[in-house]
mmCIF file of all heavy atoms in Angstrom:
data_model
loop_
_atom_site.group_PDB
_atom_site.id
_atom_site.type_symbol
_atom_site.label_atom_id
_atom_site.label_comp_id
_atom_site.label_asym_id
_atom_site.label_seq_id
_atom_site.Cartn_x
_atom_site.Cartn_y
_atom_site.Cartn_z
ATOM 1 N N PRO O 422 8.597 -56.956 -10.770
ATOM 2 C CA PRO O 422 8.505 -57.993 -11.805
ATOM 3 C C PRO O 422 9.490 -59.136 -11.607
ATOM 4 O O PRO O 422 9.285 -60.226 -12.153
ATOM 5 C CB PRO O 422 8.814 -57.218 -13.098
ATOM 6 C CG PRO O 422 8.490 -55.801 -12.789
ATOM 7 C CD PRO O 422 8.839 -55.624 -11.350
ATOM 8 N N PHE O 423 10.563 -58.918 -10.844
ATOM 9 C CA PHE O 423 11.544 -59.968 -10.595
ATOM 10 C C PHE O 423 11.158 -60.861 -9.416
ATOM 11 O O PHE O 423 11.864 -61.825 -9.125
ATOM 12 C CB PHE O 423 12.920 -59.346 -10.323
ATOM 13 C CG PHE O 423 13.648 -58.901 -11.562
ATOM 14 C CD1 PHE O 423 13.264 -57.749 -12.228
ATOM 15 C CD2 PHE O 423 14.705 -59.634 -12.077
ATOM 16 C CE1 PHE O 423 13.926 -57.334 -13.378
ATOM 17 C CE2 PHE O 423 15.375 -59.229 -13.212
ATOM 18 C CZ PHE O 423 14.985 -58.070 -13.875
ATOM 19 N N ALA O 424 10.057 -60.532 -8.733
ATOM 20 C CA ALA O 424 9.658 -61.297 -7.557
ATOM 21 C C ALA O 424 9.216 -62.707 -7.947
ATOM 22 O O ALA O 424 8.653 -62.929 -9.018
ATOM 23 C CB ALA O 424 8.539 -60.583 -6.818
ATOM 24 N N SER O 425 9.474 -63.660 -7.060
ATOM 25 C CA SER O 425 9.038 -65.036 -7.281
ATOM 26 C C SER O 425 8.232 -65.501 -6.076
ATOM 27 O O SER O 425 8.262 -64.882 -5.015
ATOM 28 C CB SER O 425 10.253 -65.959 -7.490
ATOM 29 O OG SER O 425 11.104 -65.932 -6.355
ATOM 30 N N GLY O 426 7.518 -66.592 -6.253
ATOM 31 C CA GLY O 426 6.677 -67.116 -5.189
ATOM 32 C C GLY O 426 5.224 -67.156 -5.622
ATOM 33 O O GLY O 426 4.903 -67.045 -6.807
ATOM 34 N N VAL O 427 4.349 -67.330 -4.654
ATOM 35 C CA VAL O 427 2.905 -67.379 -4.901
ATOM 36 C C VAL O 427 2.268 -66.211 -4.174
ATOM 37 O O VAL O 427 2.502 -66.024 -2.977
ATOM 38 C CB VAL O 427 2.308 -68.719 -4.418
ATOM 39 C CG1 VAL O 427 0.792 -68.676 -4.471
ATOM 40 C CG2 VAL O 427 2.839 -69.880 -5.260
ATOM 41 N N ILE O 428 1.481 -65.418 -4.892
ATOM 42 C CA ILE O 428 0.866 -64.235 -4.284
ATOM 43 C C ILE O 428 -0.579 -64.529 -3.910
ATOM 44 O O ILE O 428 -1.298 -65.241 -4.629
ATOM 45 C CB ILE O 428 0.952 -63.020 -5.225
ATOM 46 C CG1 ILE O 428 0.526 -61.741 -4.467
ATOM 47 C CG2 ILE O 428 0.119 -63.216 -6.483
ATOM 48 C CD1 ILE O 428 0.863 -60.461 -5.197
ATOM 49 N N VAL O 429 -0.996 -63.981 -2.783
ATOM 50 C CA VAL O 429 -2.365 -64.148 -2.295
ATOM 51 C C VAL O 429 -3.217 -63.021 -2.867
ATOM 52 O O VAL O 429 -2.883 -61.842 -2.714
ATOM 53 C CB VAL O 429 -2.413 -64.114 -0.755
ATOM 54 C CG1 VAL O 429 -3.856 -64.246 -0.258
ATOM 55 C CG2 VAL O 429 -1.536 -65.220 -0.175
ATOM 56 N N GLY O 430 -4.302 -63.391 -3.553
ATOM 57 C CA GLY O 430 -5.222 -62.388 -4.086
ATOM 58 C C GLY O 430 -6.223 -61.960 -3.023
ATOM 59 O O GLY O 430 -6.096 -60.920 -2.405
ATOM 60 N N ARG O 431 -7.214 -62.788 -2.783
ATOM 61 C CA ARG O 431 -8.206 -62.517 -1.739
ATOM 62 C C ARG O 431 -8.197 -63.661 -0.731
ATOM 63 O O ARG O 431 -7.780 -64.773 -1.026
ATOM 64 C CB ARG O 431 -9.608 -62.382 -2.345
ATOM 65 C CG ARG O 431 -9.760 -61.202 -3.298
ATOM 66 C CD ARG O 431 -11.206 -61.083 -3.765
ATOM 67 N NE ARG O 431 -11.388 -60.001 -4.717
ATOM 68 C CZ ARG O 431 -11.236 -60.134 -6.020
ATOM 69 N NH1 ARG O 431 -10.904 -61.310 -6.541
ATOM 70 N NH2 ARG O 431 -11.417 -59.104 -6.837
ATOM 71 N N VAL O 432 -8.690 -63.372 0.458
ATOM 72 C CA VAL O 432 -8.826 -64.385 1.506
ATOM 73 C C VAL O 432 -10.270 -64.391 1.961
ATOM 74 O O VAL O 432 -10.808 -63.358 2.369
ATOM 75 C CB VAL O 432 -7.888 -64.093 2.704
ATOM 76 C CG1 VAL O 432 -8.086 -65.134 3.797
ATOM 77 C CG2 VAL O 432 -6.436 -64.054 2.253
ATOM 78 N N GLN O 433 -10.913 -65.550 1.855
ATOM 79 C CA GLN O 433 -12.316 -65.655 2.235
ATOM 80 C C GLN O 433 -12.479 -65.444 3.737
ATOM 81 O O GLN O 433 -11.729 -66.010 4.541
ATOM 82 C CB GLN O 433 -12.863 -67.025 1.828
ATOM 83 C CG GLN O 433 -12.875 -67.255 0.324
ATOM 84 C CD GLN O 433 -13.275 -68.671 -0.051
ATOM 85 O OE1 GLN O 433 -13.530 -69.508 0.817
ATOM 86 N NE2 GLN O 433 -13.316 -68.953 -1.340
ATOM 87 N N ARG O 434 -13.441 -64.599 4.077
ATOM 88 C CA ARG O 434 -13.695 -64.317 5.495
ATOM 89 C C ARG O 434 -14.132 -65.585 6.223
ATOM 90 O O ARG O 434 -14.977 -66.341 5.743
ATOM 91 C CB ARG O 434 -14.776 -63.248 5.625
ATOM 92 C CG ARG O 434 -15.088 -62.858 7.063
ATOM 93 C CD ARG O 434 -16.094 -61.742 7.132
ATOM 94 N NE ARG O 434 -15.564 -60.497 6.574
ATOM 95 C CZ ARG O 434 -16.243 -59.351 6.556
ATOM 96 N NH1 ARG O 434 -17.476 -59.301 7.051
ATOM 97 N NH2 ARG O 434 -15.698 -58.267 6.036
ATOM 98 N N GLY O 435 -13.533 -65.805 7.382
ATOM 99 C CA GLY O 435 -13.880 -66.964 8.188
ATOM 100 C C GLY O 435 -13.170 -68.250 7.791
ATOM 101 O O GLY O 435 -13.356 -69.289 8.434
ATOM 102 N N SER O 436 -12.348 -68.210 6.727
ATOM 103 C CA SER O 436 -11.650 -69.411 6.267
ATOM 104 C C SER O 436 -10.440 -69.692 7.151
ATOM 105 O O SER O 436 -10.034 -68.866 7.973
ATOM 106 C CB SER O 436 -11.197 -69.235 4.816
ATOM 107 O OG SER O 436 -10.223 -68.192 4.736
ATOM 108 N N TYR O 437 -9.849 -70.880 6.971
ATOM 109 C CA TYR O 437 -8.636 -71.211 7.709
ATOM 110 C C TYR O 437 -7.537 -70.195 7.417
ATOM 111 O O TYR O 437 -6.824 -69.748 8.322
ATOM 112 C CB TYR O 437 -8.157 -72.621 7.336
ATOM 113 C CG TYR O 437 -8.839 -73.728 8.092
ATOM 114 C CD1 TYR O 437 -9.686 -74.618 7.441
ATOM 115 C CD2 TYR O 437 -8.625 -73.894 9.459
ATOM 116 C CE1 TYR O 437 -10.324 -75.645 8.126
ATOM 117 C CE2 TYR O 437 -9.257 -74.922 10.159
ATOM 118 C CZ TYR O 437 -10.103 -75.793 9.488
ATOM 119 O OH TYR O 437 -10.723 -76.801 10.175
ATOM 120 N N ALA O 438 -7.392 -69.852 6.136
ATOM 121 C CA ALA O 438 -6.344 -68.896 5.750
ATOM 122 C C ALA O 438 -6.555 -67.560 6.435
ATOM 123 O O ALA O 438 -5.592 -66.895 6.837
ATOM 124 C CB ALA O 438 -6.335 -68.726 4.232
ATOM 125 N N ASN O 439 -7.816 -67.169 6.613
ATOM 126 C CA ASN O 439 -8.127 -65.916 7.287
ATOM 127 C C ASN O 439 -7.747 -65.993 8.769
ATOM 128 O O ASN O 439 -7.187 -65.039 9.328
ATOM 129 C CB ASN O 439 -9.626 -65.625 7.137
ATOM 130 C CG ASN O 439 -10.041 -64.324 7.809
ATOM 131 O OD1 ASN O 439 -10.988 -64.293 8.578
ATOM 132 N ND2 ASN O 439 -9.353 -63.235 7.511
ATOM 133 N N ARG O 440 -7.992 -67.149 9.401
ATOM 134 C CA ARG O 440 -7.650 -67.305 10.811
ATOM 135 C C ARG O 440 -6.138 -67.367 11.021
ATOM 136 O O ARG O 440 -5.623 -66.895 12.037
ATOM 137 C CB ARG O 440 -8.293 -68.586 11.352
ATOM 138 C CG ARG O 440 -9.818 -68.492 11.488
ATOM 139 C CD ARG O 440 -10.394 -69.802 11.974
ATOM 140 N NE ARG O 440 -11.552 -70.173 11.163
ATOM 141 C CZ ARG O 440 -12.095 -71.374 11.172
ATOM 142 N NH1 ARG O 440 -11.598 -72.327 11.937
ATOM 143 N NH2 ARG O 440 -13.144 -71.632 10.414
ATOM 144 N N VAL O 441 -5.444 -67.934 10.046
ATOM 145 C CA VAL O 441 -3.980 -67.994 10.126
ATOM 146 C C VAL O 441 -3.381 -66.590 10.064
ATOM 147 O O VAL O 441 -2.326 -66.323 10.637
ATOM 148 C CB VAL O 441 -3.426 -68.890 8.995
ATOM 149 C CG1 VAL O 441 -1.923 -68.701 8.828
ATOM 150 C CG2 VAL O 441 -3.756 -70.353 9.258
ATOM 151 N N GLY O 442 -4.070 -65.685 9.356
ATOM 152 C CA GLY O 442 -3.594 -64.313 9.267
ATOM 153 C C GLY O 442 -3.095 -63.887 7.905
ATOM 154 O O GLY O 442 -2.518 -62.806 7.762
ATOM 155 N N LEU O 443 -3.311 -64.733 6.883
ATOM 156 C CA LEU O 443 -2.911 -64.339 5.537
ATOM 157 C C LEU O 443 -3.729 -63.139 5.082
ATOM 158 O O LEU O 443 -4.909 -63.010 5.421
ATOM 159 C CB LEU O 443 -3.100 -65.494 4.553
ATOM 160 C CG LEU O 443 -2.006 -66.555 4.462
ATOM 161 C CD1 LEU O 443 -2.336 -67.532 3.343
ATOM 162 C CD2 LEU O 443 -0.639 -65.930 4.217
ATOM 163 N N GLN O 444 -3.099 -62.272 4.290
ATOM 164 C CA GLN O 444 -3.761 -61.082 3.762
ATOM 165 C C GLN O 444 -3.545 -60.996 2.259
ATOM 166 O O GLN O 444 -2.553 -61.519 1.729
ATOM 167 C CB GLN O 444 -3.201 -59.817 4.426
ATOM 168 C CG GLN O 444 -3.368 -59.741 5.923
ATOM 169 C CD GLN O 444 -2.731 -58.503 6.510
ATOM 170 O OE1 GLN O 444 -2.328 -57.591 5.798
ATOM 171 N NE2 GLN O 444 -2.646 -58.449 7.838
ATOM 172 N N GLY O 445 -4.474 -60.327 1.592
ATOM 173 C CA GLY O 445 -4.312 -60.086 0.173
ATOM 174 C C GLY O 445 -3.037 -59.306 -0.099
ATOM 175 O O GLY O 445 -2.746 -58.329 0.583
ATOM 176 N N GLY O 446 -2.269 -59.741 -1.075
ATOM 177 C CA GLY O 446 -1.005 -59.094 -1.397
ATOM 178 C C GLY O 446 0.198 -59.787 -0.793
ATOM 179 O O GLY O 446 1.343 -59.500 -1.187
ATOM 180 N N ASP O 447 -0.020 -60.684 0.187
ATOM 181 C CA ASP O 447 1.097 -61.446 0.745
ATOM 182 C C ASP O 447 1.716 -62.327 -0.342
ATOM 183 O O ASP O 447 1.002 -62.934 -1.151
ATOM 184 C CB ASP O 447 0.622 -62.346 1.888
ATOM 185 C CG ASP O 447 0.309 -61.571 3.158
ATOM 186 O OD1 ASP O 447 0.684 -60.383 3.230
ATOM 187 O OD2 ASP O 447 -0.295 -62.163 4.070
ATOM 188 N N ILE O 448 3.026 -62.403 -0.351
ATOM 189 C CA ILE O 448 3.732 -63.309 -1.258
ATOM 190 C C ILE O 448 4.290 -64.456 -0.413
ATOM 191 O O ILE O 448 5.099 -64.234 0.494
ATOM 192 C CB ILE O 448 4.868 -62.599 -2.013
ATOM 193 C CG1 ILE O 448 4.315 -61.456 -2.858
ATOM 194 C CG2 ILE O 448 5.622 -63.591 -2.894
ATOM 195 C CD1 ILE O 448 5.389 -60.629 -3.538
ATOM 196 N N ILE O 449 3.831 -65.673 -0.688
ATOM 197 C CA ILE O 449 4.313 -66.844 0.049
ATOM 198 C C ILE O 449 5.615 -67.290 -0.598
ATOM 199 O O ILE O 449 5.644 -67.712 -1.759
ATOM 200 C CB ILE O 449 3.263 -67.968 0.030
ATOM 201 C CG1 ILE O 449 1.941 -67.459 0.633
ATOM 202 C CG2 ILE O 449 3.764 -69.183 0.809
ATOM 203 C CD1 ILE O 449 0.807 -68.463 0.540
ATOM 204 N N LEU O 450 6.704 -67.200 0.163
ATOM 205 C CA LEU O 450 8.033 -67.478 -0.370
ATOM 206 C C LEU O 450 8.459 -68.922 -0.150
ATOM 207 O O LEU O 450 8.914 -69.592 -1.077
ATOM 208 C CB LEU O 450 9.056 -66.531 0.269
ATOM 209 C CG LEU O 450 8.800 -65.032 0.096
ATOM 210 C CD1 LEU O 450 9.808 -64.225 0.901
ATOM 211 C CD2 LEU O 450 8.859 -64.644 -1.373
ATOM 212 N N THR O 451 8.331 -69.391 1.091
ATOM 213 C CA THR O 451 8.770 -70.761 1.410
ATOM 214 C C THR O 451 7.801 -71.434 2.368
ATOM 215 O O THR O 451 7.106 -70.774 3.147
ATOM 216 C CB THR O 451 10.175 -70.771 2.060
ATOM 217 O OG1 THR O 451 10.115 -70.124 3.345
ATOM 218 C CG2 THR O 451 11.201 -70.055 1.185
ATOM 219 N N VAL O 452 7.760 -72.752 2.304
ATOM 220 C CA VAL O 452 7.062 -73.592 3.274
ATOM 221 C C VAL O 452 8.070 -74.618 3.771
ATOM 222 O O VAL O 452 8.642 -75.378 2.967
ATOM 223 C CB VAL O 452 5.841 -74.286 2.657
ATOM 224 C CG1 VAL O 452 5.235 -75.275 3.653
ATOM 225 C CG2 VAL O 452 4.789 -73.260 2.236
ATOM 226 N N ASN O 453 8.312 -74.605 5.076
ATOM 227 C CA ASN O 453 9.293 -75.493 5.685
ATOM 228 C C ASN O 453 10.660 -75.392 5.005
ATOM 229 O O ASN O 453 11.356 -76.400 4.776
ATOM 230 C CB ASN O 453 8.808 -76.950 5.663
ATOM 231 C CG ASN O 453 7.573 -77.153 6.527
ATOM 232 O OD1 ASN O 453 7.430 -76.527 7.579
ATOM 233 N ND2 ASN O 453 6.676 -78.019 6.086
ATOM 234 N N GLY O 454 11.015 -74.151 4.651
ATOM 235 C CA GLY O 454 12.329 -73.906 4.073
ATOM 236 C C GLY O 454 12.435 -74.155 2.590
ATOM 237 O O GLY O 454 13.483 -73.881 1.988
ATOM 238 N N ARG O 455 11.403 -74.682 1.956
ATOM 239 C CA ARG O 455 11.435 -74.968 0.519
ATOM 240 C C ARG O 455 10.733 -73.854 -0.246
ATOM 241 O O ARG O 455 9.636 -73.424 0.119
ATOM 242 C CB ARG O 455 10.766 -76.309 0.212
ATOM 243 C CG ARG O 455 11.463 -77.509 0.825
ATOM 244 C CD ARG O 455 10.763 -78.793 0.443
ATOM 245 N NE ARG O 455 10.710 -78.969 -1.001
ATOM 246 C CZ ARG O 455 10.048 -79.956 -1.610
ATOM 247 N NH1 ARG O 455 9.362 -80.842 -0.882
ATOM 248 N NH2 ARG O 455 10.052 -80.057 -2.917
ATOM 249 N N ALA O 456 11.359 -73.378 -1.316
ATOM 250 C CA ALA O 456 10.785 -72.300 -2.135
ATOM 251 C C ALA O 456 9.461 -72.753 -2.736
ATOM 252 O O ALA O 456 9.334 -73.889 -3.218
ATOM 253 C CB ALA O 456 11.756 -71.901 -3.234
ATOM 254 N N VAL O 457 8.474 -71.876 -2.689
ATOM 255 C CA VAL O 457 7.162 -72.182 -3.245
ATOM 256 C C VAL O 457 7.124 -71.715 -4.699
ATOM 257 O O VAL O 457 7.307 -70.528 -4.995
ATOM 258 C CB VAL O 457 6.051 -71.484 -2.440
ATOM 259 C CG1 VAL O 457 4.690 -71.737 -3.087
ATOM 260 C CG2 VAL O 457 6.045 -71.974 -1.003
ATOM 261 N N THR O 458 6.914 -72.655 -5.598
ATOM 262 C CA THR O 458 6.878 -72.332 -7.034
ATOM 263 C C THR O 458 5.570 -72.750 -7.692
ATOM 264 O O THR O 458 5.374 -72.509 -8.882
ATOM 265 C CB THR O 458 8.044 -73.023 -7.758
ATOM 266 O OG1 THR O 458 7.958 -74.441 -7.547
ATOM 267 C CG2 THR O 458 9.384 -72.506 -7.241
ATOM 268 N N SER O 459 4.671 -73.389 -6.927
ATOM 269 C CA SER O 459 3.399 -73.808 -7.506
ATOM 270 C C SER O 459 2.302 -73.735 -6.451
ATOM 271 O O SER O 459 2.565 -73.768 -5.246
ATOM 272 C CB SER O 459 3.492 -75.252 -8.046
ATOM 273 O OG SER O 459 3.601 -76.173 -6.977
ATOM 274 N N VAL O 460 1.076 -73.656 -6.934
ATOM 275 C CA VAL O 460 -0.076 -73.599 -6.037
ATOM 276 C C VAL O 460 -0.267 -74.933 -5.320
ATOM 277 O O VAL O 460 -0.685 -74.977 -4.155
ATOM 278 C CB VAL O 460 -1.336 -73.221 -6.844
ATOM 279 C CG1 VAL O 460 -2.582 -73.316 -5.965
ATOM 280 C CG2 VAL O 460 -1.205 -71.834 -7.436
ATOM 281 N N GLN O 461 0.089 -76.028 -5.995
ATOM 282 C CA GLN O 461 -0.118 -77.355 -5.418
ATOM 283 C C GLN O 461 0.654 -77.533 -4.113
ATOM 284 O O GLN O 461 0.235 -78.294 -3.241
ATOM 285 C CB GLN O 461 0.303 -78.431 -6.428
ATOM 286 C CG GLN O 461 -0.647 -78.596 -7.611
ATOM 287 C CD GLN O 461 -0.591 -77.425 -8.587
ATOM 288 O OE1 GLN O 461 0.450 -76.760 -8.707
ATOM 289 N NE2 GLN O 461 -1.700 -77.170 -9.274
ATOM 290 N N GLN O 462 1.762 -76.846 -3.965
ATOM 291 C CA GLN O 462 2.556 -76.986 -2.743
ATOM 292 C C GLN O 462 1.814 -76.486 -1.504
ATOM 293 O O GLN O 462 2.170 -76.830 -0.379
ATOM 294 C CB GLN O 462 3.869 -76.212 -2.871
ATOM 295 C CG GLN O 462 4.852 -76.818 -3.851
ATOM 296 C CD GLN O 462 6.075 -75.943 -4.008
ATOM 297 O OE1 GLN O 462 6.219 -75.239 -5.002
ATOM 298 N NE2 GLN O 462 6.965 -75.985 -3.030
ATOM 299 N N LEU O 463 0.767 -75.691 -1.696
ATOM 300 C CA LEU O 463 0.051 -75.116 -0.559
ATOM 301 C C LEU O 463 -1.097 -75.996 -0.082
ATOM 302 O O LEU O 463 -1.641 -75.784 0.998
ATOM 303 C CB LEU O 463 -0.491 -73.734 -0.930
ATOM 304 C CG LEU O 463 0.536 -72.717 -1.425
ATOM 305 C CD1 LEU O 463 -0.144 -71.397 -1.759
ATOM 306 C CD2 LEU O 463 1.629 -72.505 -0.389
ATOM 307 N N ALA O 464 -1.469 -76.988 -0.888
ATOM 308 C CA ALA O 464 -2.634 -77.809 -0.543
ATOM 309 C C ALA O 464 -2.380 -78.691 0.667
ATOM 310 O O ALA O 464 -3.317 -79.053 1.394
ATOM 311 C CB ALA O 464 -3.031 -78.659 -1.744
ATOM 312 N N ASP O 465 -1.116 -79.052 0.904
ATOM 313 C CA ASP O 465 -0.812 -79.992 1.991
ATOM 314 C C ASP O 465 -0.205 -79.311 3.209
ATOM 315 O O ASP O 465 0.301 -79.982 4.106
ATOM 316 C CB ASP O 465 0.168 -81.066 1.479
ATOM 317 C CG ASP O 465 -0.421 -81.867 0.330
ATOM 318 O OD1 ASP O 465 -1.642 -82.091 0.341
ATOM 319 O OD2 ASP O 465 0.342 -82.238 -0.582
ATOM 320 N N VAL O 466 -0.262 -77.991 3.262
ATOM 321 C CA VAL O 466 0.306 -77.280 4.404
ATOM 322 C C VAL O 466 -0.579 -77.514 5.625
ATOM 323 O O VAL O 466 -1.783 -77.274 5.593
ATOM 324 C CB VAL O 466 0.420 -75.766 4.111
ATOM 325 C CG1 VAL O 466 0.915 -75.024 5.347
ATOM 326 C CG2 VAL O 466 1.366 -75.535 2.945
ATOM 327 N N GLY O 467 0.027 -78.004 6.701
ATOM 328 C CA GLY O 467 -0.738 -78.281 7.912
ATOM 329 C C GLY O 467 -0.202 -77.525 9.112
ATOM 330 O O GLY O 467 0.749 -76.744 9.004
ATOM 331 N N ARG O 468 -0.794 -77.747 10.236
ATOM 332 C CA ARG O 468 -0.343 -77.101 11.467
ATOM 333 C C ARG O 468 1.081 -77.558 11.787
ATOM 334 O O ARG O 468 1.432 -78.717 11.587
ATOM 335 C CB ARG O 468 -1.277 -77.429 12.621
ATOM 336 C CG ARG O 468 -2.685 -76.899 12.408
ATOM 337 C CD ARG O 468 -3.549 -77.121 13.635
ATOM 338 N NE ARG O 468 -4.923 -76.667 13.390
ATOM 339 C CZ ARG O 468 -5.325 -75.409 13.476
ATOM 340 N NH1 ARG O 468 -4.441 -74.480 13.822
ATOM 341 N NH2 ARG O 468 -6.575 -75.072 13.234
ATOM 342 N N GLY O 469 1.871 -76.630 12.301
ATOM 343 C CA GLY O 469 3.265 -76.919 12.585
ATOM 344 C C GLY O 469 4.201 -76.596 11.444
ATOM 345 O O GLY O 469 5.423 -76.640 11.607
ATOM 346 N N SER O 470 3.637 -76.265 10.279
ATOM 347 C CA SER O 470 4.477 -75.898 9.134
ATOM 348 C C SER O 470 5.035 -74.499 9.337
ATOM 349 O O SER O 470 4.372 -73.616 9.892
ATOM 350 C CB SER O 470 3.666 -75.947 7.836
ATOM 351 O OG SER O 470 3.211 -77.246 7.565
#
Side-chain angles (χ1 to χ4, degrees):
F423 281 75
S425 60
V427 171
I428 190 167
V429 178
R431 296 184 182 88
V432 178
Q433 296 174 359
R434 181 176 294 182
S436 65
Y437 277 113
N439 180 230
R440 289 178 227 166
V441 166
L443 277 185
Q444 300 177 11
D447 286 347
I448 299 175
I449 302 175
L450 302 174
T451 66
V452 174
N453 295 325
R455 296 182 58 186
V457 176
T458 58
S459 70
V460 173
Q461 288 71 28
Q462 290 175 257
L463 304 180
D465 299 326
V466 176
R468 297 186 183 278
S470 297

